[in-house]
Amino acid sequence: MHHENALVTLLTDFGNTDVYVGVMKGTMLAVNPRVRWVDLSHEVPPQDCRTGGFQLLQALPYFPPQTVHLVVIDPGVGTSRRAIALKLGIGYCVGPDNGVFTHVLHRYPVEIAVELNRPQFWRHPNPSATFHGRDIFAPVAAHLAAGVPLLTLGTPLDPNSLMRLPQLDYQVTPEGVRGWVQAIDHFGNVITTLPAALLHGCQGVVEIAGHRVALVNTYGDRPPGSCLALVGSHGFIEVAVNGGSAEKVLGCRNGDTVCLL
């Protein structure tokens, strides 16, 4: 399949102060001058593979299925962690094998997984030990977007061997359904692992950080400054403050326990 105009999305923890993101785009253009890209975010908290993985999962359904999703959140750069690319029914993923794809692997079956061990598709056969985004991942993503078959870019891997972070899900208990905080967004909204489907037959109260918060339909259903819980656009229950930050007001952190009563 030749799709030299395919999209590449970029998701990193690089921030927007330094030139790292621009340099990766330059290396892609050197491979494929017609590459197009969409910046998903470059403000993932540094080295936070779990939050990055959650953000990737939110974005995937909204792109054409031949899109290449380039993820560079890579605290283990230069170590023995593998560089990988995946083919899913919903798109391609390129990045480090460090758990950043946990959420995606949990949701979508892998059709092909490869280890990116063919230097002819890298920027240089001796990549920087600290910037595989520039020297390996971005060039490979550009080749993939130009129609180079995945199996040409690396050696097949067993999908079961891919690194996965411990899965934060939820547990049904006599008191209620226990879940966890899986992400906190830019607004300080606290996103839980509790899917909307759990709301049937419950009181509609979320217990978090010692507070009980009632579920409503939208942010404006409670007065400014008030805590509330609702189903976010991602399909999970989140806790928010109208016009404020639930993260700050409640003192929540990623991984904290929540309970749906």
Side-chain angles (χ1 to χ4, degrees), residues 37-237:
W37 53 70
V38 171
D39 296 281
L40 294 178
S41 175
H42 300 295
E43 300 293 344
V44 176
Q47 291 94 49
D48 189 342
C49 293
R50 193 179 290 282
T51 295
F54 176 78
Q55 293 188 347
L56 178 65
L57 184 67
Q58 303 321 304
L60 281 183
Y62 302 103
F63 285 88
Q66 72 273 22
T67 305
V68 179
H69 300 280
L70 171 59
V71 182
V72 190
I73 301 160
D74 198 12
V77 62
T79 68
S80 60
R81 71 97 188 91
R82 298 178 296 194
I84 58 170
L86 313 172
K87 182 178 191 295
L88 315 166
I90 199 167
Y92 295 89
C93 294
V94 175
D97 183 24
N98 62 4
V100 75
F101 297 118
T102 301
H103 291 80
V104 169
L105 296 170
H106 191 59
R107 180 76 56 89
Y108 299 107
V110 177
E111 295 177 9
I112 305 170
V114 301
E115 179 169 7
L116 301 174
N117 54 8
R118 305 222 169 119
Q120 63 267 40
F121 297 104
W122 302 352
R123 190 184 73 88
H124 193 274
N126 297 308
S128 158
T130 61
F131 200 176
H132 286 184
R134 177 192 68 195
D135 293 349
I136 299 176
F137 298 130
V140 164
H143 282 297
L144 205 46
V148 176
L150 189 59
L151 287 168
T152 304
L153 297 168
T155 308
L157 286 174
D158 175 359
N160 293 320
S161 74
L162 298 171
M163 164 81 177
R164 288 167 170 83
L165 301 172
Q167 189 62 36
L168 295 179
D169 211 352
Y170 60 87
Q171 298 167 348
V172 180
T173 73
E175 294 77 44
V177 186
R178 186 171 65 189
W180 289 269
V181 175
Q182 66 172 326
I184 297 173
D185 73 10
H186 166 76
F187 297 102
N189 297 329
V190 176
I191 302 158
T192 75
T193 58
L194 302 167
L198 295 175
L199 288 176
H200 304 297
C202 74
Q203 298 172 42
V205 174
V206 175
E207 199 168 62
I208 181 167
H211 295 74
R212 288 194 168 195
V213 184
L215 273 129
V216 295
N217 285 322
T218 191
Y219 302 107
D221 287 352
R222 299 277 289 130
S226 300
C227 285
L228 57 101
L230 47 66
V231 176
S233 60
H234 35 66
F236 293 98
I237 295 170

